[in-house]
Amino acid sequence: MILKPLPRFIKKLEFVVRRDRAGLSKKMYPRYDLTLASNSMFILAAQKMNMVGTAHYNITTEWDNMDKSTPGYLGKVRADIAGLEYNIFGVGENPSTGYPEQMIREQLGAVYYVKCELAE
């Protein structure tokens, strides 16, 4: 569903994001579930991964498995050290690991936050 465009007659979809911090491991590594608001149908999940340094979230379409080796794995979101820049990567290997070019992950997007001087 999430990889296909919406039919023209559907003007909007509403979603709900739920953060799950239940259990000891999810306190430090929360999981986020995206569901349709109308019927709570599961769309995708993201979970903060155990990494040293910056925040890193795996994104998958599978309810019960966040592993990179599953068919539902879509990619990851990784933050910079300040949490102001987030890069979105697809499936594939890190470019610095020496894999052939066709196996290297693609950067799909980026989000940048700018400090608003008026908010202070």
Side-chain angles (χ1 to χ4, degrees), residues 25-94:
S25 67
K26 288 186 182 170
K27 294 266 188 236
M28 294 183 66
Y29 309 108
R31 174 187 162 124
Y32 298 87
D33 291 329
L34 180 73
T35 58
L36 278 174
S38 60
N39 61 5
S40 298
M41 184 175 104
F42 174 79
I43 303 296
L44 58 85
Q47 185 166 13
K48 187 173 184 180
M49 303 312 294
N50 182 5
M51 297 259 321
V52 176
T54 63
H56 169 118
Y57 296 84
N58 279 354
I59 302 170
T60 183
T61 58
E62 296 192 20
W63 173 261
D64 58 348
N65 194 343
M66 300 299 294
D67 192 66
K68 292 167 89 171
S69 63
T70 61
Y73 180 75
L74 298 175
K76 68 178 179 180
V77 175
R78 189 175 65 201
D80 69 347
I81 196 77
L84 298 175
E85 178 181 325
Y86 291 82
N87 292 296
I88 305 159
F89 297 99
V91 178
E93 300 297 332
N94 187 327

Coordinates of all heavy atoms in Angstrom, one line a residue, residues 25-94:
S25 N 13.8 -2.1 27.5 CA 14.6 -1.8 26.2 C 13.9 -0.7 25.4 O 14.6 0.1 24.8 CB 14.7 -3.1 25.4 OG 13.5 -3.5 24.9
K26 N 12.6 -0.6 25.5 CA 11.9 0.4 24.7 C 12.0 1.8 25.4 O 11.6 2.8 24.8 CB 10.5 0.0 24.4 CG 10.4 -1.1 23.4 CD 9.0 -1.4 23.0 CE 9.0 -2.5 22.0 NZ 7.6 -3.0 21.7
K27 N 12.4 1.9 26.6 CA 12.6 3.2 27.3 C 13.7 3.9 26.6 O 13.6 5.1 26.3 CB 12.9 3.0 28.8 CG 11.8 2.4 29.6 CD 11.0 3.5 30.2 CE 10.0 2.8 31.2 NZ 8.6 3.2 30.9
M28 N 14.8 3.2 26.3 CA 15.9 3.8 25.6 C 15.8 3.8 24.1 O 16.3 4.6 23.4 CB 17.2 3.1 26.0 CG 17.5 3.4 27.5 SD 19.1 2.6 28.0 CE 20.2 3.6 27.0
Y29 N 15.1 2.8 23.5 CA 14.9 2.6 22.1 C 13.5 2.4 21.8 O 13.0 1.4 21.5 CB 15.7 1.3 21.7 CG 17.1 1.4 22.2 CD1 17.6 0.5 23.2 CD2 18.0 2.3 21.6 CE1 18.9 0.5 23.6 CE2 19.3 2.3 22.1 CZ 19.7 1.5 23.1 OH 21.0 1.5 23.6
P30 N 12.7 3.6 21.8 CA 11.3 3.5 21.5 C 11.0 3.1 20.1 O 11.8 3.2 19.2 CB 10.8 4.9 21.8 CG 12.0 5.8 21.6 CD 13.2 4.9 22.0
R31 N 9.7 2.6 19.9 CA 9.2 2.1 18.6 C 8.1 3.0 18.3 O 7.3 3.4 19.2 CB 8.7 0.7 18.7 CG 8.1 0.2 17.5 CD 7.5 -1.2 17.7 NE 6.5 -1.4 16.7 CZ 6.5 -2.5 15.9 NH1 7.5 -3.4 16.0 NH2 5.6 -2.7 15.0
Y32 N 8.0 3.4 17.0 CA 6.9 4.3 16.6 C 6.1 3.5 15.5 O 6.7 3.0 14.6 CB 7.4 5.6 15.9 CG 8.2 6.4 16.9 CD1 9.5 6.2 17.2 CD2 7.5 7.4 17.7 CE1 10.2 6.9 18.1 CE2 8.2 8.2 18.6 CZ 9.6 7.9 18.8 OH 10.3 8.7 19.7
D33 N 4.8 3.4 15.7 CA 3.9 2.8 14.7 C 3.0 3.8 14.0 O 2.5 4.7 14.6 CB 3.0 1.8 15.4 CG 3.7 0.6 16.0 OD1 4.8 0.2 15.4 OD2 3.3 0.0 17.0
L34 N 3.0 3.7 12.7 CA 2.1 4.5 11.8 C 0.9 3.7 11.4 O 1.1 2.6 10.8 CB 2.9 5.0 10.6 CG 2.1 5.9 9.7 CD1 1.9 7.3 10.3 CD2 2.8 6.1 8.3
T35 N -0.3 4.1 11.8 CA -1.5 3.4 11.4 C -2.5 4.4 10.7 O -2.4 5.6 10.9 CB -2.2 2.8 12.6 OG1 -2.5 3.8 13.6 CG2 -1.3 1.8 13.3
L36 N -3.4 3.9 10.0 CA -4.5 4.7 9.4 C -5.4 5.1 10.5 O -5.8 4.3 11.4 CB -5.3 3.9 8.4 CG -4.7 3.8 7.0 CD1 -5.6 2.8 6.2 CD2 -4.7 5.1 6.3
A37 N -5.8 6.4 10.5 CA -6.7 6.9 11.6 C -8.1 6.3 11.5 O -8.7 6.0 12.5 CB -6.8 8.4 11.5
S38 N -8.5 6.0 10.3 CA -9.9 5.5 10.1 C -10.2 4.1 10.7 O -11.2 3.8 11.2 CB -10.3 5.5 8.6 OG -9.4 4.7 7.9
N39 N -9.2 3.2 10.5 CA -9.4 1.8 10.9 C -8.2 1.1 11.7 O -8.2 0.0 11.9 CB -9.8 0.9 9.7 CG -8.7 0.8 8.7 OD1 -7.6 1.4 8.9 ND2 -8.9 0.2 7.6
S40 N -7.2 1.9 12.0 CA -6.0 1.5 12.8 C -5.2 0.5 12.0 O -4.5 -0.3 12.7 CB -6.4 1.0 14.2 OG -7.0 2.0 14.9
M41 N -5.3 0.4 10.7 CA -4.6 -0.5 9.9 C -3.1 -0.2 10.0 O -2.7 1.0 9.8 CB -5.0 -0.5 8.5 CG -4.3 -1.6 7.6 SD -5.0 -1.6 6.0 CE -3.7 -0.7 5.1
F42 N -2.2 -1.1 10.3 CA -0.8 -0.9 10.4 C -0.2 -0.6 9.0 O -0.5 -1.3 8.1 CB -0.1 -2.2 11.0 CG 1.4 -2.1 11.0 CD1 2.0 -1.4 12.0 CD2 2.1 -2.8 10.1 CE1 3.4 -1.3 12.0 CE2 3.5 -2.7 10.1 CZ 4.1 -2.0 11.1
I43 N 0.6 0.5 9.0 CA 1.3 0.9 7.7 C 2.8 0.6 7.8 O 3.3 -0.1 7.0 CB 1.0 2.4 7.4 CG1 -0.5 2.7 7.4 CG2 1.7 2.8 6.2 CD1 -1.2 2.0 6.3
L44 N 3.4 1.2 8.8 CA 4.8 0.9 9.0 C 5.3 1.2 10.4 O 4.5 1.8 11.2 CB 5.7 1.7 8.0 CG 5.6 3.2 7.9 CD1 6.5 3.9 9.0 CD2 6.0 3.7 6.6
A45 N 6.5 0.8 10.8 CA 7.0 1.0 12.1 C 8.5 1.5 12.0 O 9.2 1.2 11.0 CB 7.0 -0.3 12.9
A46 N 8.9 2.2 13.0 CA 10.3 2.7 13.1 C 10.7 2.5 14.5 O 9.9 2.7 15.4 CB 10.4 4.2 12.7
Q47 N 12.0 2.1 14.7 CA 12.5 1.9 16.0 C 13.9 2.4 16.1 O 14.7 2.2 15.2 CB 12.5 0.4 16.4 CG 12.9 0.2 17.9 CD 12.6 -1.1 18.4 OE1 12.3 -2.0 17.7 NE2 12.7 -1.3 19.7
K48 N 14.1 3.2 17.2 CA 15.5 3.7 17.4 C 16.4 2.5 17.7 O 16.1 1.6 18.5 CB 15.5 4.6 18.6 CG 16.8 5.3 18.8 CD 16.7 6.3 20.0 CE 18.0 7.1 20.1 NZ 17.9 8.1 21.1
M49 N 17.5 2.5 17.0 CA 18.4 1.4 17.1 C 19.6 1.6 18.1 O 19.9 2.8 18.4 CB 19.0 1.1 15.7 CG 18.0 0.8 14.6 SD 16.7 -0.4 15.1 CE 17.7 -1.9 15.3
N50 N 20.1 0.6 18.6 CA 21.2 0.7 19.6 C 22.5 1.0 18.8 O 23.1 0.2 18.3 CB 21.3 -0.7 20.3 CG 22.4 -0.6 21.4 OD1 23.0 0.4 21.7 ND2 22.6 -1.8 22.0
M51 N 22.8 2.3 18.8 CA 24.0 2.8 18.1 C 24.8 3.7 19.0 O 24.2 4.4 19.9 CB 23.6 3.6 16.9 CG 22.8 2.8 15.8 SD 23.8 2.3 14.4 CE 24.9 3.6 14.1
V52 N 26.0 3.8 18.8 CA 26.9 4.8 19.5 C 26.8 6.0 18.7 O 27.0 6.0 17.4 CB 28.3 4.2 19.6 CG1 29.2 5.3 20.2 CG2 28.3 3.0 20.4
G53 N 26.6 7.1 19.3 CA 26.6 8.4 18.6 C 25.2 8.9 18.3 O 24.5 9.2 19.2
T54 N 24.9 9.0 17.0 CA 23.7 9.7 16.6 C 22.5 8.8 16.6 O 22.6 7.6 16.6 CB 23.9 10.3 15.2 OG1 24.1 9.2 14.3 CG2 25.0 11.2 15.1
A55 N 21.3 9.4 16.6 CA 20.0 8.7 16.6 C 19.9 8.0 15.2 O 20.2 8.6 14.2 CB 18.8 9.6 16.8
H56 N 19.4 6.8 15.2 CA 19.3 6.0 14.0 C 18.0 5.1 14.1 O 17.9 4.4 15.1 CB 20.6 5.1 13.9 CG 20.6 4.0 12.9 ND1 21.5 4.0 11.9 CD2 19.8 2.9 12.8 CE1 21.3 2.9 11.2 NE2 20.3 2.3 11.7
Y57 N 17.1 5.2 13.1 CA 15.9 4.5 13.2 C 15.7 3.6 12.0 O 15.9 4.1 10.8 CB 14.7 5.5 13.2 CG 14.6 6.4 14.4 CD1 15.4 7.5 14.5 CD2 13.8 6.0 15.5 CE1 15.3 8.4 15.6 CE2 13.8 6.8 16.6 CZ 14.5 8.0 16.7 OH 14.5 8.8 17.8
N58 N 15.4 2.3 12.2 CA 15.1 1.4 11.1 C 13.6 1.6 10.8 O 12.8 1.7 11.7 CB 15.4 0.0 11.4 CG 16.9 -0.4 11.3 OD1 17.7 0.5 10.8 ND2 17.3 -1.5 11.6
I59 N 13.2 1.5 9.5 CA 11.9 1.6 9.1 C 11.5 0.4 8.4 O 12.2 -0.1 7.5 CB 11.6 2.9 8.2 CG1 12.1 4.1 9.0 CG2 10.2 3.0 7.8 CD1 12.2 5.3 8.1
T60 N 10.3 -0.2 8.7 CA 9.9 -1.5 8.1 C 8.3 -1.5 8.0 O 7.6 -0.8 8.7 CB 10.3 -2.7 8.9 OG1 10.0 -3.9 8.3 CG2 9.8 -2.7 10.3
T61 N 7.9 -2.3 7.1 CA 6.4 -2.5 7.0 C 6.0 -3.8 7.7 O 4.8 -4.2 7.6 CB 6.0 -2.7 5.5 OG1 6.8 -3.8 4.9 CG2 6.3 -1.5 4.7
E62 N 6.9 -4.4 8.4 CA 6.5 -5.6 9.2 C 6.3 -5.3 10.7 O 7.1 -4.5 11.3 CB 7.6 -6.6 9.1 CG 7.8 -7.1 7.6 CD 8.7 -8.3 7.5 OE1 8.9 -9.0 8.5 OE2 9.1 -8.6 6.4
W63 N 5.2 -5.8 11.2 CA 4.7 -5.5 12.5 C 5.7 -6.0 13.6 O 6.0 -5.3 14.6 CB 3.4 -6.1 12.8 CG 2.9 -6.0 14.2 CD1 2.9 -6.9 15.1 CD2 2.3 -4.8 14.8 NE1 2.4 -6.5 16.3 CE2 2.0 -5.2 16.1 CE3 2.0 -3.5 14.4 CZ2 1.4 -4.3 17.0 CZ3 1.5 -2.7 15.3 CH2 1.2 -3.1 16.6
D64 N 6.2 -7.2 13.4 CA 6.9 -7.9 14.5 C 8.4 -8.1 14.2 O 9.1 -8.7 15.0 CB 6.3 -9.3 14.7 CG 6.3 -10.1 13.4 OD1 6.6 -9.6 12.3 OD2 6.0 -11.3 13.5
N65 N 9.0 -7.5 13.2 CA 10.4 -7.7 12.9 C 11.1 -6.4 12.4 O 10.7 -6.0 11.3 CB 10.6 -8.9 12.0 CG 12.1 -9.3 12.0 OD1 13.0 -8.7 12.4 ND2 12.3 -10.5 11.5
M66 N 12.0 -5.8 13.1 CA 12.7 -4.6 12.7 C 14.0 -4.9 12.0 O 14.8 -3.9 11.7 CB 12.9 -3.7 13.9 CG 11.6 -3.3 14.6 SD 10.5 -2.3 13.6 CE 11.4 -0.8 13.3
D67 N 14.3 -6.1 11.8 CA 15.6 -6.5 11.2 C 15.8 -6.0 9.8 O 14.9 -6.1 9.0 CB 15.8 -8.0 11.4 CG 17.2 -8.4 11.1 OD1 18.1 -8.0 11.9 OD2 17.5 -9.1 10.1
K68 N 17.0 -5.6 9.4 CA 17.4 -5.2 8.1 C 17.2 -6.3 7.0 O 17.1 -6.0 5.8 CB 18.8 -4.6 8.0 CG 18.9 -3.4 8.8 CD 20.4 -3.0 9.0 CE 20.9 -2.2 7.9 NZ 22.3 -1.7 8.1
S69 N 17.3 -7.5 7.4 CA 17.3 -8.7 6.5 C 15.9 -9.1 6.1 O 15.7 -9.9 5.2 CB 18.0 -9.9 7.1 OG 17.4 -10.3 8.2
T70 N 14.8 -8.5 6.6 CA 13.5 -8.9 6.3 C 13.0 -8.2 5.0 O 13.5 -7.1 4.7 CB 12.5 -8.5 7.4 OG1 12.5 -7.1 7.6 CG2 12.8 -9.2 8.7
P71 N 12.1 -8.8 4.3 CA 11.6 -8.2 3.0 C 10.9 -6.9 3.2 O 10.8 -6.1 2.3 CB 10.6 -9.2 2.5 CG 10.7 -10.5 3.3 CD 11.5 -10.1 4.5
G72 N 10.3 -6.6 4.4 CA 9.6 -5.4 4.7 C 10.5 -4.2 5.1 O 10.0 -3.1 5.2
Y73 N 11.8 -4.4 5.2 CA 12.7 -3.3 5.5 C 12.8 -2.3 4.4 O 13.0 -2.6 3.3 CB 14.1 -3.9 5.8 CG 15.1 -2.9 6.2 CD1 15.1 -2.3 7.4 CD2 16.1 -2.4 5.3 CE1 16.1 -1.3 7.8 CE2 17.0 -1.5 5.6 CZ 17.0 -0.9 6.9 OH 17.9 0.0 7.2
L74 N 12.5 -1.0 4.8 CA 12.4 0.1 3.8 C 13.7 0.9 3.8 O 14.0 1.6 2.8 CB 11.2 0.9 4.0 CG 9.9 0.3 3.9 CD1 8.8 1.2 4.3 CD2 9.7 -0.2 2.5
G75 N 14.4 1.0 4.9 CA 15.5 1.9 5.0 C 15.7 2.4 6.4 O 15.2 1.8 7.4
K76 N 16.4 3.5 6.5 CA 16.6 4.1 7.9 C 16.6 5.6 7.8 O 16.8 6.2 6.7 CB 17.9 3.6 8.4 CG 19.2 4.1 7.7 CD 20.4 3.5 8.4 CE 21.7 4.0 7.7 NZ 22.8 3.5 8.4
V77 N 16.5 6.2 9.0 CA 16.6 7.6 9.2 C 17.7 7.8 10.2 O 17.7 7.2 11.2 CB 15.3 8.3 9.7 CG1 15.5 9.7 10.0 CG2 14.2 8.1 8.7
R78 N 18.7 8.7 9.9 CA 19.8 8.9 10.7 C 20.0 10.4 11.0 O 19.9 11.2 10.1 CB 21.1 8.4 10.1 CG 22.2 8.4 11.1 CD 23.4 7.7 10.5 NE 23.9 8.5 9.3 CZ 24.6 8.0 8.3 NH1 25.0 6.8 8.4 NH2 25.0 8.8 7.4
A79 N 20.2 10.8 12.3 CA 20.3 12.2 12.6 C 21.8 12.5 12.8 O 22.6 11.7 13.0 CB 19.6 12.4 14.0
D80 N 22.1 13.8 12.7 CA 23.4 14.3 13.0 C 23.5 14.4 14.5 O 22.6 14.2 15.3 CB 23.7 15.6 12.3 CG 22.9 16.8 12.8 OD1 22.0 16.6 13.6 OD2 23.3 17.9 12.5
I81 N 24.7 14.8 15.0 CA 25.0 14.8 16.4 C 24.1 15.8 17.2 O 23.7 15.6 18.3 CB 26.5 15.0 16.7 CG1 26.8 14.6 18.1 CG2 26.9 16.4 16.4 CD1 26.9 13.2 18.4
A82 N 23.8 16.9 16.5 CA 23.0 18.0 17.1 C 21.5 17.7 17.0 O 20.7 18.4 17.7 CB 23.3 19.3 16.5
G83 N 21.0 16.7 16.2 CA 19.6 16.5 16.0 C 18.9 17.5 15.1 O 17.7 17.6 15.2
L84 N 19.7 18.2 14.3 CA 19.1 19.2 13.5 C 19.0 18.8 12.0 O 18.3 19.4 11.2 CB 19.9 20.5 13.5 CG 20.0 21.2 14.9 CD1 20.9 22.4 14.9 CD2 18.6 21.6 15.4
E85 N 19.7 17.7 11.7 CA 19.7 17.2 10.3 C 19.4 15.7 10.3 O 20.1 15.0 11.0 CB 21.1 17.5 9.6 CG 21.2 17.0 8.2 CD 22.6 17.3 7.7 OE1 23.2 18.3 8.0 OE2 23.0 16.4 6.9
Y86 N 18.4 15.3 9.5 CA 18.0 13.9 9.4 C 18.2 13.5 8.0 O 17.6 14.1 7.1 CB 16.6 13.7 9.9 CG 16.5 13.9 11.4 CD1 16.3 15.2 11.9 CD2 16.5 12.8 12.3 CE1 16.2 15.3 13.3 CE2 16.4 13.0 13.6 CZ 16.2 14.3 14.2 OH 16.1 14.4 15.5
N87 N 18.9 12.4 7.7 CA 19.0 11.9 6.4 C 18.2 10.6 6.3 O 18.2 9.7 7.2 CB 20.5 11.6 6.1 CG 21.3 12.9 5.9 OD1 21.0 13.7 5.0 ND2 22.2 13.1 6.8
I88 N 17.6 10.4 5.1 CA 16.7 9.2 4.9 C 17.4 8.4 3.8 O 17.7 8.8 2.7 CB 15.3 9.6 4.4 CG1 14.7 10.6 5.4 CG2 14.4 8.4 4.2 CD1 13.6 11.5 4.9
F89 N 17.7 7.1 4.2 CA 18.4 6.2 3.3 C 17.5 5.0 2.9 O 16.7 4.5 3.8 CB 19.7 5.7 3.9 CG 20.7 6.8 4.2 CD1 20.8 7.3 5.4 CD2 21.5 7.2 3.2 CE1 21.7 8.3 5.7 CE2 22.4 8.2 3.4 CZ 22.5 8.8 4.7
G90 N 17.6 4.5 1.7 CA 16.9 3.3 1.3 C 17.7 2.0 1.7 O 18.6 2.1 2.5
V91 N 17.3 0.9 1.2 CA 17.9 -0.4 1.4 C 19.3 -0.4 0.7 O 19.4 0.1 -0.4 CB 17.1 -1.5 0.9 CG1 17.7 -2.8 1.1 CG2 15.7 -1.5 1.6
G92 N 20.3 -0.9 1.4 CA 21.6 -1.1 0.7 C 22.7 -0.9 1.8 O 22.5 -0.8 3.0
E93 N 23.9 -1.0 1.3 CA 25.1 -1.0 2.1 C 25.7 0.4 2.2 O 25.5 1.3 1.3 CB 26.2 -1.9 1.5 CG 25.7 -3.4 1.4 CD 25.4 -4.0 2.8 OE1 26.0 -3.6 3.8 OE2 24.6 -4.9 2.8
N94 N 26.5 0.7 3.3 CA 27.2 1.9 3.5 C 28.2 2.1 2.4 O 29.0 1.2 2.1 CB 27.8 1.8 4.9 CG 28.4 3.2 5.3 OD1 28.9 3.9 4.5 ND2 28.4 3.4 6.6

